[in-house]
Amino acid sequence: MSQVRRIVNTSFETLLPVVGVIVALIIGAFMLLALGANPITAYGALIEGAFGSQYSFMQTLVKATPLLLVGLGVCIAFRGGVINIGGEGQIIVGGLGATAIALALPNLPGVLLLPLALIAGIISGAIWGGIPGVLKARLGVNEILTTIMMNAIAQQLSNFLLRGPMIDPKEVLAKTYLPQSAQVPEQAWLMRLLPPTLLHLGTILAVVLAIGVFVFLWRTIIGYRIRAVGLNPSAAKYAGINVPTYQALALVLGGAFAGLAGAVEVLGVSHRMLDGVSGGYGFSGIVTALFGKLHPLGSIPASVLFGSLLVGADKMQRAVQVPASLIQVLLGLVVIFVVSSDIWVRRRASKRQTNG
Amino acid sequence: MSELFSLTVLTGIAYSGIRLATPYLFAALGEMFAQRSGVVNLGVEGIMLMGAFTAFAMATWTGNLWFALFCAAFIGLLMGLAMSFISVNMQAEQGISGIGMHLFGLGLSSLLFTKFLGSTKAITGFQPIKIPLLGDIPVIGEIFFNHNILVYLAFLLVPIAVWVLNKTTLGLKIRAVGVKPEAADSLGVSVSKIRYLCVSFGGVMAGIAGASLTLALINLFQENMTSGIGFIAVALVYFGGWTPVGVTLGALLFSLVNALQLWIQVLDKDKVIPSDFALMMPYVLTIAVLAFGKRTNQPAALTKPFDRGSH
Amino acid sequence: MSKINRRKFLTIAGTLSAGAALTACATPAPTAAPAAPGAAAKPAAKQFKIAMVCPSLVNDAAFSQSMYDAIMSVQKEMGGESALMLKYSDNVFQVPNAAAAIRDYAGQGFDLVIAHGTQYGNSLQEIAKDFPNVAFAWGTATDNFESKGLKNVFAYNPKAEEGGYVLGVLAAKMTKSNVVGVCGPVEAGDAKTFVDGFKKGVTDTNKAAKVNVTYTGNFSDVSLMAAAAETHTKAGADILTGSSQSVVGAIGIAKDKKIVWFGTQSNQANLAPETVGASQVYDWSGIVKEMISMINSGKKGTVSFESTLKNGGLKIVYNDKVAISADAKAAAAAATKDIADGKLKALP
């Protein structure tokens, strides 16, 4: 009996975000009508664009990969009671770090160069998340402020490097001066798993890491402490946990994952560092983590859901030629409805508690 | 580079700094009230964009700048009410719902612009008003008393905010709700009413902040024209330690340094300092000042929804 | 009016092609797709179908709009939508999204897919390989990938410095304060070449004139762009120019201060008719027409076009509402001729 109830509850909780998405899409249907587009055609294209063929589904997974990686970092940070809005900047420095290493050591074999480049991305991101972390731990500076500011600083750093020291020499020769790095050596690329689709090894890496984060948060002492600090800082302090240190650690790890996302985007998709590599993943990663109930394993389906929305919405734009901005409106509505719908889960949970 | 310390340049920096600070001030003061009542609204940027668009469209169609400003404030109010509903009634995670609100405003402002205006043509915005007598004082007059009406309004808001927050019953209620909602509730203060009021006020201010761009500072609209101002405004609330004066100082610091770096770029003919590093200055300095300045505690109930039934 | 018609038409076209796409979906693997477009393209009467992907909005008054306007003018010339159809995805700043869009359009039977953004190059190279029957165009770029064995990619590149130089000559002749301000976005791409050419044009013409340059570090910060323009005017500038879609901020200030603005990429006169003295317009229509006729005669790539003042791909468009002295215009015309004849290098 209780087994049945548990299944009902779990499926209710998992289905709720989907219901939120559907409600948002219904409102979107009216906007499509107002724009003179047929909503059925449009949404048909959305679904087809995300799942309709092997290529499009793989595209969804490619999109889900950075979302999942950033989302994992957000999970850790949130569980540690800190908010990381600095994903964008951390992705950028992660991409820069990975590119710099891959370009600096072009003669290394792939087995060495690829991991080195990934680690460079992780470390760069960790530093970028670590600065707000240390400032919070040591000086009590609010991390929302610092992470927002660090995004802008990363953008300027990237501009500087990509038009100066790291610019593709070919751009200078051709006098086109586009701000992008040279292509990273081929042995450093993340292997394509299913050509011609863009699916690459990074996707598998992300899923493995999701499991890793789950084990880390729930099966290790450090993970336990991070969660304890996030759940109740004063109780954690009373239990002898150094609260600021673990909050800083949560921010460092959050940055590390976002940095890895940047490295994976460079080594798996664009094969060079260019402007716009962060592509809003820093923000949509936060949304992904929340869709996944701030659980690393929940983030896996959440990233696919959100990734499919991003990919499908682009397809919809092409199919019915509505302005691209409609997609942002739709995503905004989806986010609002999904977070709002969360109240029903909590209501049920508290009812369950009071009922025994 | 020695010209940097000439009177013309210093006046120029001060004047531009004050001008640049205007949208930050409107948005950050509004957000400060929302946060004092316990709600973080990360959607300021989206509301600003809607305000900027509404004001621009209305000014284009009617030519009446005050009506345009009113409409922008009204749109801000609507979005503020929506945000209140989401965070008070639906008790949604505020960081996330704000991002949703941002995306919504970003997309809708661009969509409506494409649909209804298509192309943009500069309007004639609010003109500078030279304040009699004060405006004639050398240097000081040029820096402080030769701005358009929205700049004066923004700075006029600061003492009003101080007064409301510290000297009125409403201010007391707001502070109580932000720190100890349970206690406020038991004393008969409606937590949701106060939060609705503050978040909606924040929305109105964000709408006006956006309008200040299209009606006074730039006179044109473009998709995503705020380009991060709303997020910086949220950061400035933390910077200012949730006090109107602190927020104002933050907005001024950030804007003055931004004006300064533009002058450095102008005067640094040989580009000894790469423009990118000049552009980092406002952000780096804001962090640095906060790191070495004094800190205040955030409202204890910030981001925590209040559920009357559970207490 | 024509806008509404276009949208209606596109909706219908969209419905049809989405239907077609759904049917195409039934084919087992996407690898089969390359064969389809060639077949699909022929029976559709004689309508020429272009798809475009660009990084900013088509009404950005700058880079993306320049291509959109060009295609629209070619469409008008060819006799409307029945002769030339355009579908586009704008505001696609991020490369993976653009890659998906380009691939999707390529598979839908378009005659020409324009990847209007230098950053799309890498992806385009891969996609073009998979769709040998579809012609692609890529810009702004100089590499048509022929050396990589691709026969179906055109490249196009504006020599932005040329118009920059000419506008610089105009500015040098017109400035009374001998200070000219440049509002740049990021010191890269055609923004950099334009600014470099402009600076050279000013200093070659008027040794006493100073050119002050600022950058805002991104392409969308309109407010900082406005502040930059204001800083320039405080520093004495009475002529301003700049590049990217964010210059609308600077144009607003120029209008306020009643000084002259020189535009680039698109004709910016309609943003502020009494302020914009002249614009360097990227007029891609010649290149678009040339590509259409080449494709119709079976040539799908291997050509790198260059937009210059000489071939009309770059145009200096004056705005009659702003008074520019005959002397200045004559000097500009002379510079234009010298650049066209190769007697003058626009870049330092």
Side-chain angles (χ1 to χ4, degrees):
Chain A
M1 190 57 202
S2 73
Q3 193 68 23
V4 174
R5 200 184 297 160
R6 248 181 72 185
I7 292 170
V8 170
N9 283 329
T10 327
S11 45
F12 177 78
E13 282 170 29
T14 16
L15 277 179
L16 207 60
V18 179
V19 176
V21 172
I22 291 171
V23 174
L25 292 185
I26 290 172
I27 296 181
F30 288 101
M31 304 181 78
L32 281 162
L33 278 175
L35 288 167
N38 178 346
I40 296 171
T41 322
Y43 287 144
L46 189 147
I47 293 166
E48 193 248 314
F51 303 107
S53 67
Q54 188 195 34
Y55 184 86
S56 48
F57 184 56
M58 294 308 134
Q59 194 69 24
T60 295
L61 294 185
V62 170
K63 202 84 191 173
T65 305
L67 291 174
L68 176 55
L69 287 170
V70 175
L72 290 176
V74 173
C75 282
I76 299 175
F78 258 86
R79 292 278 174 185
V82 284
I83 299 168
N84 177 18
I85 312 186
E88 289 286 297
Q90 292 149 7
I91 295 171
I92 291 173
V93 294
L96 285 169
T99 312
I101 288 293
L103 289 175
L105 306 166
N107 297 322
L108 276 193
V111 270
L112 284 176
L113 190 55
L114 175 59
L116 273 181
L118 289 174
I119 290 169
I122 293 173
I123 292 177
S124 312
I127 292 173
W128 221 249
I131 295 171
V134 170
L135 285 173
K136 185 178 175 76
R138 281 297 166 95
L139 301 163
V141 182
N142 184 287
E143 77 277 11
I144 293 187
L145 176 133
T146 34
T147 47
I148 288 177
M149 300 281 172
M150 293 296 280
N151 283 341
I153 298 172
Q155 180 61 54
Q156 296 308 330
L157 180 68
S158 164
N159 283 347
F160 172 72
L161 291 173
L162 290 182
R163 67 179 185 78
M166 279 174 75
I167 193 173
D168 186 353
K170 282 187 207 149
E171 290 291 328
V172 179
L173 271 181
K175 290 198 188 328
T176 40
Y177 300 104
L178 192 85
Q180 60 179 23
S181 76
Q183 197 169 61
V184 296
E186 215 161 311
Q187 74 268 25
W189 297 2
L190 284 161
M191 198 175 62
R192 289 268 168 90
L193 299 176
L194 214 60
T197 76
L198 301 183
L199 188 72
H200 55 79
L201 204 55
T203 311
I204 293 176
L205 180 68
V207 173
V208 171
L209 283 172
I211 298 165
V213 170
F214 169 70
V215 173
F216 169 73
L217 279 175
W218 273 274
R219 297 283 184 275
T220 69
I221 299 273
I222 299 176
Y224 163 78
R225 286 182 180 160
I226 288 179
R227 286 189 299 125
V229 165
L231 270 175
N232 190 339
S234 29
K237 194 177 169 193
Y238 189 71
I241 299 173
N242 186 338
V243 174
T245 306
Y246 281 91
Q247 286 180 329
L249 181 66
L251 280 169
V252 168
L253 290 173
F257 274 96
L260 178 62
V264 164
E265 278 302 282
V266 166
L267 302 171
V269 181
S270 62
H271 298 152
R272 65 172 80 212
M273 181 64 192
L274 31 74
D275 198 17
V277 89
S278 57
Y281 294 135
F283 290 107
S284 22
I286 300 177
V287 178
T288 304
L290 193 93
F291 278 21
K293 305 281 175 237
L294 295 173
H295 192 289
L297 299 180
S299 296
I300 300 175
S303 66
V304 176
L305 174 74
F306 209 68
S308 67
L309 270 174
L310 291 174
V311 172
D314 273 0
K315 171 77 188 178
M316 178 183 89
Q317 186 277 330
R318 293 193 291 278
V320 294
Q321 293 281 296
V322 283
S325 41
L326 178 70
I327 288 154
Q328 284 162 336
V329 179
L330 277 180
L331 287 177
L333 288 173
V334 166
V335 170
I336 291 171
F337 282 110
V338 171
V339 281
S340 299
S341 68
D342 216 33
I343 193 172
W344 313 117
V345 175
R346 281 191 304 252
R347 286 256 166 89
R348 281 175 73 107
S350 67
K351 211 182 264 172
R352 245 177 286 150
Q353 257 171 12
T354 40
N355 292 351
Chain B
M1 284 295 275
S2 58
E3 299 115 295
L4 194 57
F5 300 102
S6 72
L7 194 60
T8 340
V9 173
L10 292 177
T11 350
I13 292 173
Y15 175 85
S16 305
I18 286 173
R19 221 176 118 93
L20 267 176
T22 307
Y24 293 102
L25 257 187
F26 279 121
L29 284 175
E31 174 74 7
M32 186 208 71
F33 274 98
Q35 293 204 8
R36 276 313 271 269
S37 78
V39 179
V40 170
N41 180 4
L42 266 187
V44 175
E45 175 109 347
I47 304 180
M48 279 183 72
L49 280 165
M50 282 303 291
F53 165 75
T54 310
F56 182 73
M58 290 305 159
T60 304
W61 290 329
T62 67
N64 186 332
L65 297 177
W66 288 104
F67 177 68
L69 185 69
F70 172 80
C71 290
F74 184 70
I75 287 291
L77 175 69
L78 291 184
M79 291 179 78
L81 282 171
M83 192 65 200
S84 312
F85 179 76
I86 295 163
S87 29
V88 175
N89 300 70
M90 303 309 282
Q91 304 177 2
E93 178 70 53
Q94 290 162 11
I96 320 289
S97 54
I99 291 174
M101 194 55 96
H102 163 55
L103 282 173
F104 177 77
L106 171 67
L108 194 61
S109 58
S110 168
L111 185 67
L112 294 173
F113 175 67
T114 313
K115 185 90 183 139
F116 291 110
L117 289 170
S119 68
T120 179
K121 185 168 180 299
I123 56 159
T124 306
F126 286 110
Q127 295 301 307
I129 302 169
K130 193 167 169 187
I131 300 207
L133 298 177
L134 289 174
D136 292 324
I137 309 171
V139 186
I140 307 274
E142 196 180 331
I143 296 175
F144 297 104
F145 302 111
N146 200 3
H147 287 280
N148 66 67
I149 185 79
L150 291 184
V151 177
Y152 295 129
L153 274 181
F155 281 87
L156 205 63
L157 234 123
V158 181
I160 296 176
V162 173
W163 177 73
V164 170
L165 205 56
N166 298 319
K167 301 276 185 237
T168 63
T169 336
L170 177 64
L172 185 68
K173 285 181 185 168
I174 294 172
R175 285 180 287 144
V177 165
V179 179
K180 268 202 168 7
E182 305 82 14
D185 183 61
S186 66
L187 289 172
V189 178
S190 164
V191 174
S192 30
K193 248 187 218 157
I194 293 289
R195 288 191 172 166
Y196 256 87
L197 184 74
C198 289
V199 177
S200 308
F201 175 73
V204 170
M205 286 297 114
I208 293 177
S212 75
L213 294 174
T214 40
L215 297 182
L217 301 175
I218 296 164
N219 303 335
L220 280 159
F221 178 84
Q222 196 177 50
E223 187 246 1
N224 192 22
M225 68 184 290
T226 48
S227 195
I229 294 179
F231 285 100
I232 300 290
V234 174
L236 289 175
V237 176
Y238 291 90
F239 181 94
W242 295 271
T243 66
V245 175
V247 167
T248 311
L249 290 178
L252 278 173
L253 170 78
F254 185 82
S255 308
L256 284 170
V257 178
N258 230 337
L260 168 73
Q261 64 87 8
L262 284 171
W263 270 102
I264 290 178
Q265 287 196 49
V266 165
L267 298 175
D268 180 16
K269 287 277 176 298
D270 307 318
K271 297 277 171 215
V272 181
I273 304 166
S275 57
D276 325 272
F277 288 106
L279 286 159
M280 280 180 202
M281 284 173 56
Y283 304 94
V284 173
L285 272 169
T286 310
I287 295 180
V289 168
L290 193 61
F292 299 109
K294 78 173 177 70
R295 253 159 309 284
T296 21
N297 287 329
Q298 67 178 41
L302 195 61
T303 75
K304 296 194 178 64
F306 175 68
D307 196 342
R308 207 172 172 191
S310 67
H311 292 281
Chain C
M1 190 56 201
S2 74
K3 206 154 199 167
I4 295 165
N5 284 337
R6 192 184 82 239
R7 200 159 274 139
K8 254 188 199 152
F9 172 78
L10 292 176
T11 316
I12 298 162
T15 321
L16 291 173
S17 71
L22 279 168
T23 347
C25 223
T27 50
T31 32
K42 267 172 221 155
K46 286 216 76 174
Q47 188 191 41
F48 194 89
K49 295 197 272 183
I50 298 182
M52 168 171 83
V53 181
C54 54
S56 45
L57 290 176
V58 291
N59 56 4
D60 68 349
F63 182 66
S64 298
Q65 183 160 1
S66 69
M67 183 54 88
Y68 179 77
D69 285 354
I71 298 172
M72 284 296 120
S73 87
V74 173
Q75 181 187 64
K76 209 169 157 195
E77 210 175 300
M78 286 173 64
E81 283 142 359
S82 54
L84 174 67
M85 181 253 257
L86 170 71
K87 271 214 205 182
Y88 64 85
S89 295
D90 57 351
N91 222 4
V92 195
F93 189 65
Q94 233 213 324
V95 175
N97 299 355
I102 295 166
R103 189 174 281 275
D104 193 31
Y105 282 130
Q108 281 181 29
F110 283 88
D111 301 291
L112 171 64
V113 179
I114 303 179
H116 192 55
T118 322
Q119 62 267 48
Y120 304 156
N122 260 22
S123 318
L124 183 71
Q125 199 188 328
E126 282 180 31
I127 299 164
K129 215 176 284 169
D130 295 341
F131 294 90
N133 294 323
V134 181
F136 295 88
W138 172 42
T140 63
T142 48
D143 187 358
N144 59 42
F145 301 128
E146 198 184 0
S147 58
K148 306 261 165 59
L150 288 175
K151 301 248 176 282
N152 57 338
V153 180
F154 296 106
Y156 54 89
N157 185 46
K159 303 280 264 179
E161 64 272 17
E162 294 192 358
Y165 188 97
V166 176
L167 295 178
V169 171
L170 280 172
K173 287 277 179 195
M174 288 167 72
T175 175
K176 295 196 176 65
S177 61
N178 276 344
V179 181
V180 178
V182 179
C183 308
V186 180
E187 198 175 346
D190 62 342
K192 178 182 165 56
T193 51
F194 171 77
V195 172
D196 287 349
F198 183 85
K199 279 200 290 197
K200 187 157 188 276
V202 174
T203 42
D204 280 2
T205 315
N206 181 349
K207 292 274 177 296
K210 279 198 297 185
V211 185
N212 294 331
V213 185
T214 55
Y215 290 96
T216 57
N218 71 55
F219 296 94
S220 61
D221 198 333
V222 182
S223 157
L224 194 59
M225 200 51 114
E230 188 158 313
T231 307
H232 283 302
T233 59
K234 285 266 187 236
D238 60 352
I239 309 266
L240 290 180
T241 188
S243 173
S244 95
Q245 62 267 34
S246 61
V247 292
V248 295
I251 295 174
I253 296 297
K255 178 182 184 253
D256 244 18
K257 307 275 176 193
K258 301 193 166 49
I259 59 176
V260 175
W261 171 268
F262 289 122
T264 184
Q265 296 181 327
S266 250
N267 186 353
Q268 292 167 341
N270 57 341
L271 290 172
E274 59 286 356
T275 304
V276 179
S279 304
Q280 161 172 249
V281 177
Y282 291 1
D283 183 356
W284 307 109
S285 56
I287 293 177
V288 170
K289 278 190 277 186
E290 218 166 314
M291 287 193 291
I292 292 176
S293 75
M294 281 182 183
I295 293 165
N296 282 337
S297 62
K299 190 175 171 75
K300 292 186 188 298
T302 69
V303 181
S304 288
F305 296 98
E306 209 152 60
S307 277
T308 60
L309 289 168
K310 191 179 182 178
N311 67 17
L314 297 176
K315 284 198 175 87
I316 303 294
V317 180
Y318 288 99
N319 174 15
D320 297 338
K321 294 204 183 79
V322 176
I324 297 176
S325 70
D327 172 46
K329 281 189 179 174
T336 308
K337 190 169 178 304
D338 285 351
I339 291 171
D341 296 346
K343 276 191 250 167
L344 188 68
K345 287 268 168 285
L347 274 182

